[in-house]
Amino acid sequence: MDALLLVAAVTLYAAGVGLAARAFARHDRRMHRAALAVLAGGAAVNLAAWLLPGVREARLPLADLRELLTGLAWLIVSLHVGIALRAGLEAMSLIVPPFATVLLLGASGLSTPVQSRPAGGPLFVAHTVTATAGLAALGLAFTMSVVYLLQDRVLKRKRSFGLLERLPSLDTSDRIGFQALAWGFGLLTAAIVTGVLWNAIAHGRLWSARPKESFPLLAWIVLSALLYARLARGYRGRRCAYLVIVGFVFALASVVGIAR
């Protein structure tokens, strides 16, 4: 049942992206709304696939890599649908949902849980929830940084690049990306703090050099430097976009530690 739900969610996401591509090519807003509806349906199925194991076993469905990727994909698509409905950013449906689909495909490729973990109480729940939500927000910041770099390249070439010219403007990409970055950084900070506290209680140590603990710290260092540069020094542009990408890659790399 779980596998069938994952396949159904991936199928709906792929169909939504296909509709979004046609809508973008034709500049058809009605078709884009239909694409968002299909993506929302995929998100509903994705949510069911994510929650079902937890409901069945009366636990938080974030015990292994498969469940983390499933929940992360749902959060990213849900954020995208909400923002796209409010801001009308058609091009984002060609970037954000495919990224989430890759995550969900990765989850569906894991036929059995990588490593089950016992419940760790409210502190562990707070840690896993904030970590997953932070990854989703940083994933959105990552995609907006990619869009920013593409749009910047188009503008600097001073040539016609067809459909790429209809990407969100630099200001829009920067604004939405920064908002997502701020949320992601705050949630990542909360995840690190609760993780350290839970580690001290459960294992008697504050920190170890394992990937699941080292990569989030590296991401936090990169993103805190970026926020300082933006807020205190007024930095903008490509360097900031590249730092967002680096920070997200570090944060995403922490999921490697779940299998260890």
Side-chain angles (χ1 to χ4, degrees):
M1 180 65 177
D2 298 0
L4 289 176
L5 286 173
L6 285 175
V7 170
V10 168
T11 302
L12 286 170
Y13 285 164
V17 172
L19 275 174
R22 290 192 66 185
F24 186 67
R26 298 182 178 185
H27 204 50
D28 189 333
R29 292 189 177 275
R30 291 181 60 184
M31 188 178 292
H32 183 247
R33 286 194 293 269
L36 291 177
V38 173
L39 290 171
V45 177
N46 189 164
L47 179 61
W50 180 34
L51 294 181
L52 188 59
V55 172
R56 189 167 53 233
E57 301 171 20
R59 61 174 176 80
L60 182 70
L62 288 171
D64 54 66
L65 184 57
R66 178 176 182 171
E67 292 177 356
L68 174 61
L69 293 177
T70 303
L72 188 57
W74 171 73
L75 279 168
I76 288 174
V77 173
S78 298
L79 282 172
H80 163 70
V81 170
I83 292 173
L85 285 173
R86 186 180 67 177
L89 301 177
E90 297 178 13
M92 293 309 300
S93 294
L94 305 180
I95 300 173
V96 181
F99 173 66
T101 304
V102 170
L103 295 178
L104 202 57
L105 282 170
S108 63
L110 300 172
S111 57
T112 57
V114 173
Q115 180 180 357
S116 296
R117 302 179 187 275
L123 193 60
F124 180 75
V125 171
H127 166 67
T128 51
V129 169
T130 52
T132 306
L135 271 174
L138 291 176
L140 181 59
F142 163 81
T143 56
M144 295 310 299
S145 294
V146 172
V147 171
Y148 183 97
L149 292 173
L150 287 172
Q151 185 68 288
D152 181 71
R153 186 179 182 84
V154 168
L155 293 174
K156 287 187 180 300
R157 289 291 183 91
K158 297 180 180 180
R159 292 168 51 192
S160 175
F161 282 79
L163 296 178
L164 287 178
E165 294 179 344
R166 286 163 45 195
L167 290 171
S169 67
L170 292 178
D171 287 342
T172 299
S173 300
D174 182 73
R175 174 173 52 81
I176 296 177
F178 180 72
Q179 290 172 354
L181 170 64
W183 278 100
F185 180 78
L187 290 165
L188 176 64
T189 302
I192 291 174
V193 171
T194 52
V196 167
L197 293 175
W198 181 79
N199 216 16
I201 294 171
H203 305 293
R205 62 176 184 269
L206 294 177
W207 182 82
S208 65
R210 291 181 296 175
K212 67 175 183 178
E213 298 171 26
S214 299
F215 282 121
L217 183 59
L218 288 173
W220 189 90
I221 291 172
V222 170
L223 297 178
S224 61
L226 168 60
L227 286 172
Y228 172 78
R230 284 199 58 137
L231 297 175
R233 301 291 184 178
Y235 286 4
R236 295 289 189 275
R238 287 177 294 171
R239 285 181 295 180
C240 291
Y242 283 126
L243 283 175
V244 170
I245 292 171
V246 171
F248 174 69
V249 169
F250 279 141
L252 189 61
S254 65
V255 304
V256 174
I258 295 178
R260 297 179 180 271

